Amino acid sequence: PTFRILLSLLRSLHPPSSCPITSTSQEDLTMAPLSLLSLLTTLTITLLFHRHHTTLAASSSSSIQCRSGWTSTPQTIPPSQINDGYCDCPFDGTDEPNTGACSGSMDGMWAGIPPKHESSDHDAAAKLPAYFGCPQQPSLRLPLSRVNDGVCDCCDGADEDDQSSAISSSSTTTTTVTTFCLDSCDQALAEERAARAKAQSDFAFGSKRRLESISQYKKWHAEKSKELHQLKEVQLVGTMEELGGVEQALVEAKVSLAREWLRVVNQQVLGGGDVQAQPLMEIVGNSSMSLEDLASFIISLCWLSAEVSAGNVSNDRCVALDRASLDLGILWNYSSKDDDGDGDDISLPSFDYLDSGTDIALVDFAEKIMLRFEGKDTAKDKTASRSRKNTKRKSKQVEHIEPDYDSGDDPYGDDWEDQTLYNNDDDYVMGEDDDLNSHEGDDGEGDSPTGEGHNQLFLKSLLDKVPLDRSLFKEQSKLLLKIASEAPKDTDESIEGDADESLTEDESDNNEEDSMTSGNGGVDPMALQMAKATISKRLSNISRGETSAKSAARFIASLMETSDSVLGDMKNMAIMAMYHSKLAAEDVAELVYSTSSNLRSTTEEASGAESSIDNRESSCSSPWRSTMMCPTPRTVPLKNADDTMYPPSFIVEAAQKRCEQREKSTDVCAAVSQEGEEEMEFPTTVPDGYYSYYVPQSRSGSEEDGLTPYFSSIDSLHEKMPINLSELKKRKEDVDRKKNSLTKKVADLEDETGDGSNTGSSKFGVDGELYILGDTCHKLESGKYEYEVCIFGKASQRDIGQTSGGTNLGSWEAITEEDGPYQRMLKWGGGTKCWNGPARSAEVLVTCGADTKFLTADEPETCRYVFTMASPIGCDERFKVKNSL
């Protein structure tokens, strides 16, 4: 205790506290500070004060027990430690009832002891101050035990209230002590006041700029909100209403189109009440063709149409069959593939019938028809597109053959597709896999190969009945291409170029020159190139036709297996496939004669069955003579039909034209020298009918074609989209663009104003204080790096001197309020991922400042960057209160 009293005396003699001036009585007090008399007097009073404490301590003759704060076990406090100026019982202060040693201990100023009075929402006055704050020294906070303790802690003595203390020096004498504190704040707080003055100045300027920013933001935000309301609540709402009206009108127009389309197909094409359409049904109806005949007829249509043009095949499917099915309301599930079956069998595609009683189904039907108008119903799927791209890359290495746009067998000018879709290179040879009769799983030794399921056998039987046989032409072509591949190359490239330029498929003008030989047994280079190009093209057309036929067989088999009205569906399918195949009437007539069992006699069938490729003379010269078509087309009466002859007259007329064409053509089945012979002949041209292959022709569309008049009604449907539907579609597209534009403007404006956030708070922070910093960037150099953060942008780290690039520390996320020494936190996240660590992120802690500038940079954790910044946005009321400004 004596030491503490002396220490108090020494503290009173040194700054920052003023020296206390004491006396033994009020009357004899002198005001000369630090005089010798004052020092002696102070020492005397201090000794008396110490004696007083000793007397009080001695007067307590018994010990007490209390908790010390460091252990839960009560400790015994002896009489000598009671009222000794040291707080041994901080929880209740029972050991210092006559001193201030335990002052404030129950209000949280002692380590480990919670405040006695906790805050309450109902009684704000319940919280007592836990410290004493010096008015001129906000950073100096004193425990309550040091208030009015006789020591001047505050530079202005505010902690001592000019207190007069009565101290008993004996049992009969009382001594009065008065403490005075001098104001030494000028000396003690010069630097602190300078810093405080700057803080006040920065706050005044920064808060003014912050308020100006808020004011500007409110004005700007009000204008943008008005604009956003106009866009969102007026223009966009009006556009959505307009779009709804257009869509409703479009739905009605689509339903109308679907109903009219189905009416025309059913009544005017299929003959449902239309007399003009009856001849078409006579081709396939009235028992003129059996179910198997119809299947063979439809598959043959798909084969020949694919040979005519690559545009008649899409995704390896017959386009004619796809379109005919849609016209009839047969909706196929195209997702199933050949290899989707169980075990060794293959699956057949499934289908549904159009529900013409519901608008939803009719709208979907009409939309598919509209795709046909736009030429998009045959679009390749993604898999096919990737396959084509790969094929094109490979085809760059093969010889380029200029397409022949003038040839009669390529009316659509799509010969170029043949060059990219098929391997028509110099060494192309038709293999067994290219043959229609080469079925998967076929061991070639019998009609019922092992391992084939029901569907496979059914498909094989359908394909075997197709009357189109290209085997003789393919066999001869393989021999020719083999000869061409072994022939010596001419070094004069101009010859090859001339051959390409002179390539044409109008062989009818060149039939007088069937073949030629080069001198000394060689092969003429020009003839070689011309023949190779023509043969390769035709082989690719045949391959495409076989692919289409195989695909069509799967759909026809499914229809025959699962249709409730299979015969009617097959008749209708045959007529519509006839239309969409776009084959000339002569080719259709030839198929009718070759597929209808009513037009084949028993003798002719037997004769046809005995013919083979080995019998070249009979099979090559006139294979079409095996039917009842040529030289004079025959007709037969239909069963159960009085005086009705089959086929109808327009088919007979078309067959007669075809016979006349065949009679004029020259059968070319010249033998090519077999392997091992020295002399060989190579044709200079490959005429129509070469080794039994006649190139199918497309329907011209003129009245001269016997089928054109009967398809005029559906032709008119296909001419163009109905005007009202076209206008509504265009109007919907315009309104859709307008809606999308308005929607984008609304989204951009919401992002600009920060009102589009899902958090419910503006991206500009409290009251829009961040408005003055919007889209600005700030840099700081620290060590060897330069750091840059862009408000609403990105944060980055780069080497000093580097002008671009760097490491991405993250993109702008948000601004939040902080309760610590900093007022705001700006956050960036989702930056470049650290190696074997988290994604980089950045935080900027903001305090009040007159201007916005970086202060420090740190990386407290791996890939987490923390910066400090001074900015006006931190100069708010909270900062003012917290710093007593």
Side-chain angles (χ1 to χ4, degrees):
T2 302
F3 174 76
R4 289 191 179 92
I5 294 173
L6 293 175
L7 182 59
S8 297
L9 177 60
L10 293 175
R11 288 173 61 189
S12 68
L13 297 177
H14 296 279
S17 301
S18 61
C19 179
I21 305 172
T22 58
S23 63
T24 57
S25 66
Q26 292 283 350
E27 294 78 11
D28 298 330
L29 179 65
T30 62
M31 297 304 295
L34 302 178
S35 64
L36 179 60
L37 179 60
S38 297
L39 292 174
L40 293 175
T41 303
T42 301
L43 179 58
T44 301
I45 297 301
T46 302
L47 293 174
L48 291 175
F49 185 71
H50 169 64
R51 180 180 178 184
H52 169 70
H53 277 275
T54 304
T55 302
L56 290 176
S59 65
S60 178
S61 58
S62 60
S63 60
I64 61 174
Q65 287 189 334
C66 68
R67 285 182 58 193
S68 66
W70 310 111
T71 176
S72 59
T73 304
Q75 293 187 357
T76 299
I77 307 301
S80 60
Q81 295 183 15
I82 298 175
N83 291 321
D84 64 346
Y86 182 80
C87 185
D88 296 291
C89 303
F91 281 97
D92 52 19
T94 55
D95 66 317
E96 299 294 323
N98 297 330
T99 70
C102 290
S103 298
S105 64
M106 291 174 287
D107 291 296
M109 293 302 295
W110 288 64
I113 299 179
K116 179 179 179 181
H117 301 282
E118 297 181 355
S119 62
S120 172
D121 293 337
H122 302 288
D123 185 10
K127 181 173 178 63
L128 299 178
Y131 57 86
F132 178 83
C134 297
Q136 299 190 58
Q137 296 171 288
S139 60
L140 181 58
R141 298 177 179 181
L142 304 176
L144 297 181
S145 61
R146 293 176 62 177
V147 177
N148 294 322
D149 62 349
V151 178
C152 299
D153 296 290
C154 297
C155 65
D156 57 359
D159 58 316
E160 303 296 323
D161 296 335
D162 294 336
Q163 176 179 304
S164 297
S165 301
I167 301 176
S168 299
S169 58
S170 65
S171 60
T172 59
T173 304
T174 300
T175 303
T176 301
V177 179
T178 303
T179 304
F180 295 95
C181 299
L182 298 179
D183 189 345
S184 61
C185 290
D186 289 340
Q187 179 182 358
L189 300 179
E191 296 181 359
E192 185 175 339
R193 282 180 174 174
R196 182 174 178 79
K198 184 179 185 306
Q200 289 176 331
S201 174
D202 288 347
F203 175 78
F205 187 80
S207 61
K208 180 180 178 181
R209 289 195 61 190
R210 179 177 178 274
L211 293 176
E212 289 175 352
S213 173
I214 293 175
S215 176
Q216 294 174 11
Y217 169 77
K218 290 181 177 179
K219 180 180 179 180
W220 171 82
H221 189 269
E223 295 176 354
K224 292 296 182 180
S225 297
K226 183 178 179 180
E227 181 181 352
L228 181 61
H229 180 272
Q230 179 68 21
L231 285 173
K232 192 174 183 179
E233 305 299 333
V234 179
Q235 296 184 33
L236 186 57
V237 170
T239 301
M240 294 301 295
E241 292 176 354
E242 181 183 5
L243 181 61
V246 174
E247 288 178 339
Q248 180 60 34
L250 189 58
V251 167
E252 295 173 359
K254 288 178 179 178
V255 171
S256 177
L257 170 67
R259 288 174 176 166
E260 176 64 14
W261 195 279
L262 294 172
R263 185 193 69 80
V264 170
V265 169
N266 291 323
Q267 295 184 9
Q268 299 184 20
V269 179
L270 300 180
D274 193 328
V275 178
Q276 184 182 8
Q278 291 296 335
L280 290 175
M281 186 57 68
E282 290 178 6
I283 299 177
V284 295
N286 298 328
S287 303
S288 57
M289 284 190 179
S290 65
L291 190 61
E292 290 74 14
D293 293 344
L294 290 169
S296 179
F297 181 69
I298 297 171
I299 296 172
S300 299
L301 288 172
C302 287
W303 184 329
L304 292 184
S305 68
E307 287 189 2
V308 168
S309 171
N312 292 331
V313 180
S314 176
N315 299 319
D316 291 336
R317 296 197 309 269
C318 174
V319 171
L321 184 62
D322 284 357
R323 290 178 173 174
S325 299
L326 181 62
D327 290 339
L328 298 174
I330 298 175
L331 309 177
W332 293 103
N333 174 20
Y334 293 115
S335 60
S336 60
K337 302 297 181 182
D338 292 346
D339 55 354
D340 289 344
D342 298 329
D344 295 326
D345 206 0
I346 62 175
S347 67
L348 298 179
S350 60
F351 67 92
D352 295 306
Y353 287 105
L354 173 68
D355 184 3
S356 58
T358 62
D359 288 352
I360 295 178
L362 290 175
V363 168
D364 182 66
F365 175 84
E367 288 175 349
K368 292 176 181 177
I369 295 296
M370 291 169 67
L371 289 176
R372 186 184 301 178
F373 281 120
E374 298 169 355
K376 298 179 180 179
D377 62 325
T378 59
K380 302 294 188 296
D381 58 23
K382 294 181 179 179
T383 304
S385 297
R386 286 194 297 269
S387 176
R388 169 169 290 193
K389 289 179 181 178
N390 293 336
T391 305
K392 285 184 177 180
R393 293 192 191 101
K394 295 177 181 179
S395 66
K396 291 179 181 179
Q397 301 175 359
V398 305
E399 179 183 0
H400 174 70
I401 304 298
E402 190 69 15
D404 181 13
Y405 300 106
D406 298 326
S407 61
D409 68 341
D410 187 31
Y412 304 101
D414 54 9
D415 279 341
W416 63 272
E417 293 192 50
D418 302 335
Q419 303 299 329
T420 58
L421 289 176
Y422 300 92
N423 299 322
N424 299 333
D425 57 16
D426 290 345
D427 300 323
Y428 179 77
V429 177
M430 291 292 293
E432 294 299 327
D433 293 338
D434 298 320
D435 196 334
L436 180 64
N437 297 321
S438 177
H439 303 284
E440 185 177 354
D442 193 350
D443 56 10
E445 296 180 357
D447 295 334
S448 300
T450 60
E452 290 186 341
H454 168 74
N455 293 340
Q456 287 176 303
L457 293 174
F458 188 26
L459 291 177
K460 186 176 186 298
S461 67
L462 291 179
L463 294 171
D464 286 343
K465 294 177 181 179
V466 174
L468 303 176
D469 186 6
R470 311 302 197 207
S471 57
L472 188 62
F473 177 80
K474 291 194 294 183
E475 180 182 355
Q476 183 67 12
S477 296
K478 286 192 290 185
L479 292 174
L480 291 176
L481 291 178
K482 182 178 181 181
I483 294 172
S485 64
E486 295 174 352
K489 301 292 182 179
D490 196 310
T491 57
D492 188 359
E493 297 180 359
S494 63
I495 297 179
E496 180 177 345
D498 294 339
D500 289 343
E501 293 176 1
S502 62
L503 175 64
T504 177
E505 293 212 14
D506 191 9
E507 293 92 354
S508 60
D509 297 334
N510 300 314
N511 286 337
E512 68 276 8
E513 184 179 7
D514 293 339
S515 62
M516 66 175 291
T517 59
S518 61
N520 301 326
V523 179
D524 181 69
M526 182 176 293
L528 179 67
Q529 295 298 328
M530 293 174 62
K532 281 172 53 181
T534 302
I535 291 173
S536 295
K537 175 179 174 59
R538 292 187 180 181
L539 287 176
S540 70
N541 291 347
I542 292 172
S543 177
R544 189 171 60 233
E546 291 174 343
T547 299
S548 179
K550 289 180 181 179
S551 171
R554 295 181 64 241
F555 292 93
I556 295 301
S558 176
L559 198 62
M560 295 174 68
E561 290 275 306
T562 59
S563 175
D564 296 331
S565 54
V566 58
L567 186 58
D569 287 341
M570 290 289 287
K571 290 179 180 179
N572 294 338
M573 184 72 75
I575 293 177
M576 296 310 299
M578 192 191 316
Y579 170 74
H580 288 293
S581 68
K582 303 177 183 178
L583 288 174
E586 292 82 357
D587 285 299
V588 173
E590 191 169 354
L591 287 181
V592 169
Y593 274 93
S594 59
T595 57
S596 174
S597 55
N598 284 324
L599 298 175
R600 292 197 305 268
S601 65
T602 305
T603 304
E604 288 167 339
E605 288 179 356
S607 176
E610 294 174 356
S611 62
S612 64
I613 297 177
D614 293 333
N615 189 355
R616 291 179 178 270
E617 187 62 31
S618 60
S619 62
C620 177
S621 60
S622 54
W624 35 270
R625 294 183 182 275
S626 61
T627 67
M628 300 175 67
M629 189 178 77
C630 295
T632 301
R634 297 168 56 186
T635 58
V636 296
L638 290 177
K639 298 177 182 179
N640 303 322
D642 296 337
D643 300 328
T644 302
M645 302 301 291
Y646 182 78
S649 59
F650 66 95
I651 291 296
V652 174
E653 293 174 1
Q656 184 64 48
K657 290 182 180 180
R658 177 50 51 90
C659 291
E660 293 174 358
Q661 294 171 0
R662 294 289 190 264
E663 290 295 337
K664 293 179 181 179
S665 65
T666 302
D667 295 329
V668 180
C669 287
V672 177
S673 61
Q674 302 299 314
E675 187 175 356
E677 298 182 9
E678 295 182 0
E679 297 292 333
M680 61 180 69
E681 295 181 349
F682 201 92
T684 58
T685 61
V686 184
D688 197 26
Y690 187 73
Y691 282 87
S692 300
Y693 179 64
Y694 291 91
V695 178
Q697 303 297 317
S698 63
R699 188 164 60 246
S700 63
S702 65
E703 293 294 332
E704 296 179 359
D705 189 282
L707 290 174
T708 299
Y710 302 102
F711 288 127
S712 60
S713 57
I714 194 169
D715 271 337
S716 63
L717 285 180
H718 281 84
E719 286 179 358
K720 62 180 179 178
M721 192 181 301
I723 296 177
N724 66 323
L725 188 59
S726 178
E727 291 177 348
L728 284 172
K729 185 173 180 293
K730 183 178 184 303
R731 185 180 172 192
K732 180 182 181 300
E733 292 172 352
D734 293 339
V735 178
D736 270 332
R737 281 192 294 268
K738 182 179 178 182
K739 182 202 73 172
N740 295 336
S741 176
L742 287 173
T743 302
K744 185 178 185 303
K745 287 181 179 179
V746 168
D748 292 343
L749 199 54
E750 286 180 341
D751 181 68
E752 182 183 358
T753 59
D755 295 337
S757 172
N758 295 327
T759 62
S761 60
S762 172
K763 71 175 185 179
F764 289 97
V766 179
D767 300 326
E769 62 191 9
L770 204 56
Y771 180 71
I772 58 174
L773 296 183
D775 299 320
T776 60
C777 296
H778 308 274
K779 298 180 180 181
L780 173 69
E781 292 185 0
S782 179
K784 65 176 183 177
Y785 295 113
E786 178 187 67
Y787 298 92
E788 181 181 40
V789 296
C790 295
I791 309 300
F792 307 143
K794 291 185 177 182
S796 59
Q797 174 196 53
R798 60 178 66 94
D799 293 334
I800 293 178
Q802 187 178 352
T803 57
S804 62
T807 303
N808 179 20
L809 303 184
S811 299
W812 170 263
E813 290 185 345
I815 176 175
T816 59
E817 293 187 81
E818 295 295 305
D819 293 330
Y822 295 93
Q823 308 304 107
R824 304 286 185 270
M825 178 185 288
L826 313 180
K827 296 181 179 180
W828 287 259
T832 304
K833 192 177 185 300
C834 286
W835 183 83
N836 202 25
R840 288 175 169 83
S841 63
E843 300 171 358
V844 176
L845 301 172
V846 182
T847 187
C848 176
D851 299 306
T852 299
K853 60 180 179 180
F854 263 137
L855 300 178
T856 63
D858 191 17
E859 187 179 359
E861 300 176 13
T862 302
C863 296
R864 174 175 168 261
Y865 301 84
V866 178
F867 309 96
T868 59
M869 172 187 284
S871 176
I873 66 174
C875 302
D876 61 355
E877 194 65 23
R878 291 172 59 244
F879 180 83
K880 179 180 178 181
V881 173
K882 184 180 295 185
N883 293 276
S884 303
L885 298 178

